[in-house]
Amino acid sequence: MIQQTLVLLKPDAVKRGLIGEIIKRFERVGLKIVACKLVKPSKDLADKHYPLERQEFVEGIGKKTLENYKEMGVDPVSEIGSSDPYEIGKIVRGWLVEMITSDPVLAIVLEGPNAVEIVRKLVGHTLPVKADPGTIRGDFSFDSAFFANAKKRPIKNLIHASGNPEEAEYEISLWFTKDEIHNYKRSEEEVMY
Ligand code: TYD
């Protein structure tokens, strides 16, 4: 059950000086930081991190955007030029790649029991407007798909966290070499394991 997961503090988190506030939440829950670095990602790394070939991922972004438009009573074609989830996902993904290659990102590998699920819970809903108070996105951002899309930019939701253990393994290998990932004990391991 001990898992590793990738977290990226995106440029909006870094530029707003929220690194300490966010990392504190992972440390206090008992997750172990086993790798950490500030990187300005290359276009190649960003393209691999948000893979265009993973249809369900690109379409998933488009579907969430469409749901949001529906809730707001906005016509997707007049707003973003399409009503096709894959086409919309591609546009939003392009904005994401541009954003994460424009400024530094703090990349972190966290380790612990059920780390993937615990991190997603602390991070909260993709859309900060819907994220519960107490979650990172709920506490530090008010952004919404409607607001972001109207400005032709990605949602400023501060953080990326791997969605499942397979994604975590792939993403960790993209961002870190094996010797950048450390092995040590945290004091909780004596009490909690
Ligand atoms: P997704 O994988 O659906 O969410 P999560 O980050 O919670 O796993 O989407 C990836 C990123 O795409 C998300 O963090 C922010 C961005 N995004 C937008 O910029 N606009 C949008 O309308 C949506 C749905 C996502």
Side-chain angles (χ1 to χ4, degrees):
M1 280 333 285
I2 306 294
Q3 296 176 337
Q4 291 185 340
T5 188
L6 183 85
V7 162
L8 300 178
L9 303 194
K10 296 192 270 194
D12 48 324
V14 175
K15 288 161 81 177
R16 287 177 58 201
L18 292 173
I19 290 175
E21 281 288 351
I22 295 173
I23 287 190
K24 179 171 83 180
R25 292 168 179 234
F26 297 128
E27 283 197 300
R28 77 180 178 192
V29 84
L31 290 170
K32 178 159 65 179
I33 297 169
V34 293
C36 185
K37 64 182 174 190
L38 197 62
V39 214
K40 187 156 178 259
S42 64
K43 170 86 166 54
D44 181 55
L45 176 56
D47 278 336
K48 286 181 177 142
H49 180 80
Y50 292 121
L52 205 47
E53 357 20 291
R54 254 186 65 209
Q55 175 133 2
E56 76 281 6
F57 160 73
V58 178
E59 229 171 56
I61 294 181
K63 278 184 187 152
K64 281 190 198 168
T65 311
L66 281 170
E67 276 165 30
N68 211 258
Y69 280 152
K70 200 168 161 200
E71 273 176 34
M72 308 290 295
V74 172
D75 170 36
V77 178
S78 55
E79 189 63 27
I80 201 165
S82 173
S83 59
D84 176 62
Y86 186 74
E87 286 308 311
I88 295 175
K90 255 183 15 191
I91 296 170
V92 174
R93 179 204 166 271
W95 297 336
L96 273 170
V97 167
E98 202 188 309
M99 180 189 68
I100 71 155
T101 52
S102 62
D103 280 298
V105 164
L106 192 79
I108 309 166
V109 180
L110 292 168
E111 185 183 287
N114 302 301
V116 173
E117 186 185 339
I118 304 266
V119 168
R120 294 286 292 191
K121 179 185 70 174
L122 297 178
V123 166
H125 197 285
T126 305
L127 307 175
V129 69
K130 291 196 173 169
D132 290 330
T135 64
I136 294 165
R137 288 168 172 168
D139 283 354
F140 296 109
S141 178
F142 50 68
D143 211 6
S144 66
F146 180 68
F147 193 47
N149 292 349
K151 298 188 162 220
K152 309 265 181 279
R153 61 155 177 80
I155 292 173
K156 307 261 171 105
N157 64 4
L158 305 159
I159 187 162
H160 163 84
S162 307
N164 57 55
E166 296 71 45
E167 205 174 283
E169 201 180 328
Y170 166 73
E171 293 178 350
I172 291 169
S173 72
L174 272 184
W175 288 82
F176 290 94
T177 60
K178 282 217 155 53
D179 52 335
E180 286 176 320
I181 302 175
H182 299 277
N183 189 5
Y184 66 98
K185 269 202 189 312
R186 260 187 66 146
S187 57
E188 280 86 352
E189 290 175 42
E190 253 176 60
V191 182
M192 306 278 289
Y193 282 19

